[in-house]
Amino acid sequence: MEIPHQRLIYFQLTVETGSIRAAASRLDIAASAVSRQIGLLETALDASLLERRRDGVRPTPVGEMLLDYCQRRTLLDREFSDALDAYQRLETGQITLCVGEGFVGDVIDHPLREFTEAHRGVRLEVDTGSTKQIIESVVNDEAHIGLMYHEQVHPHLRFWCSTRQPLVLLMSPCHALAGDSAPLTIEQLATHPMALWHPGHGVRSLVDAAFREAGHRPVVGIQTGSLEVLKHSARASLCVTLLPRFAAARELEEGTLVARGVVGRRFSEANAHMVTRVGRRMPRAALQLLRHLQHWMSAFRCDDPPAKH
């Protein structure tokens, strides 16, 4: 049964003030209008709602039930209004991100910590996945924001920010290739064991295509699905590896890894992307986070010019 909200207000105010005349005065309308609306309520409910006494009106048993409903509805309205107000002020809500593993350190070390400190009521959910999984998660509305590498276009994705992030060769400072800063050729790389992602990974596909175009094959020392294995292998001088700088920003800053550019169009034109689904209305907190990540993440800054090719 649908009861017009205004009639409930007239009834509740009449009970709370003790008379139809007092309710009408509070509402600044004629007493007959209040009486008419309560009469329509009684007709709809097929029950008397008020008992008229010398000292005013009192609710009947059905009127007591309706008054309880009105009070609970008022409380729910107030709670919703308060929750909406908190949401609009970015004090509550949930944001889900799906990111490539290489973005994890970059996004958590500083940007997310600062964002959560400023918006303590906003809960973050962060999942990792392959480029394919990130795209599916964003397109299917399982994630508000995706951070991915290399993919260029997609009909259902909005590319909020795309930044050139070339693949570089990462190695221990003790490695034989670490003594020079000039960009390396793929021919030079082809003589050194490499730690690479498993075939099918986006970065691995990029590496394989570049080597194939140059007429060489990489010497695969280690294949893995773990970013940490790639970086540990390079730090231990077991292998060299190819990653964007932001994926090893901490190790490069600490000096446990060094980087050299690599000559090649495919390597130099790779990009980091921040994406959402086309047409999705983003919560205010998610829009705020998009701007925050774009401003603070290393992946969306490019301080080094691409290697010549």
Side-chain angles (χ1 to χ4, degrees):
M1 179 185 298
E2 186 174 343
I3 303 175
H5 185 58
Q6 195 66 27
R7 289 177 189 170
L8 294 176
I9 293 175
Y10 289 176
F11 167 76
Q12 183 177 0
L13 195 55
T14 296
V15 174
E16 291 174 350
T17 59
S19 74
I20 289 176
R21 189 173 299 278
S25 177
R26 182 83 63 85
L27 294 166
D28 196 25
I29 59 176
S32 58
V34 176
S35 181
R36 183 169 57 254
Q37 293 301 317
I38 293 176
L40 290 171
L41 262 181
E42 291 178 325
T43 299
L45 297 174
D46 193 24
S48 176
L49 298 175
L50 297 172
E51 294 178 357
R52 288 163 176 79
R53 300 181 179 181
R54 282 186 177 182
D55 58 347
V57 297
R58 294 288 186 275
T60 65
V62 175
E64 292 280 6
M65 288 189 288
L66 184 61
L67 180 62
D68 179 64
Y69 168 75
C70 290
Q71 291 169 340
R72 286 188 285 115
R73 178 167 175 168
T74 298
L75 180 61
L76 284 173
D77 287 346
R78 187 177 300 118
E79 289 176 350
F80 173 74
S81 179
D82 291 344
L84 180 61
D85 186 49
Y87 179 81
Q88 296 289 5
R89 294 197 307 268
L90 307 181
E91 293 177 359
T92 62
Q94 176 176 316
I95 309 171
T96 302
L97 296 90
C98 191
V99 308
E101 191 177 354
F103 291 90
V104 171
D106 190 14
V107 75
I108 289 179
D109 282 350
H110 297 292
L112 287 193
R113 184 182 65 209
E114 293 170 353
F115 183 84
T116 54
E117 286 176 355
H119 308 290
R120 294 187 179 276
V122 177
R123 189 177 72 181
L124 297 175
E125 183 173 324
V126 182
D127 297 314
T128 59
S130 65
T131 299
K132 180 180 178 182
Q133 291 169 330
I134 294 167
I135 292 173
E136 290 178 350
S137 183
V138 172
V139 169
N140 294 331
D141 288 342
E142 296 166 1
H144 294 95
I145 300 170
L147 303 178
M148 63 185 191
Y149 186 71
H150 177 49
E151 185 78 15
Q152 296 296 318
V153 294
H154 191 282
H156 302 301
L157 293 181
R158 176 178 177 180
F159 286 73
W160 284 78
C161 183
S162 295
T163 308
R164 187 68 52 82
Q165 290 290 349
L167 281 180
V168 295
L169 190 72
L170 298 174
M171 69 211 87
S172 163
C174 302
H175 194 277
L177 292 176
D180 194 359
S181 60
L184 295 156
T185 64
I186 290 179
E187 183 178 7
Q188 289 173 294
L189 298 190
T191 61
H192 294 272
M194 305 191 73
L196 298 175
W197 295 100
H198 286 303
H201 187 280
V203 173
R204 176 63 184 273
S205 298
L206 184 63
V207 170
D208 287 344
F211 270 80
R212 186 167 54 250
E213 289 177 1
H216 293 280
R217 289 185 178 181
V219 178
V220 182
I222 292 177
Q223 290 188 152
T224 182
S226 166
L227 176 66
E228 288 305 310
V229 170
L230 294 177
K231 293 192 291 187
H232 273 288
S233 300
R235 286 203 302 268
S237 291
L238 186 61
C239 296
V240 294
T241 191
L242 285 160
L243 292 169
R245 285 181 179 271
F246 67 82
R250 178 179 293 179
E251 291 82 0
L252 290 170
E253 183 178 351
E254 294 171 348
T256 56
L257 287 176
V258 296
R260 286 185 68 178
V262 181
V263 176
R265 176 183 58 83
R266 288 187 178 271
F267 291 166
S268 64
E269 295 183 356
N271 290 272
H273 304 287
M274 184 183 301
V275 299
T276 62
R277 180 177 65 78
V278 169
R280 183 172 190 180
R281 294 190 65 180
M282 300 291 286
R284 286 189 64 197
L287 290 171
Q288 187 80 3
L289 181 58
L290 277 168
R291 300 186 190 100
H292 186 78
L293 296 180
Q294 183 175 344
H295 183 72
W296 290 106
M297 285 184 65
S298 298
F300 299 103
R301 299 193 299 268
C302 187
D303 302 322
D304 299 320
K308 295 179 180 180
H309 53 85

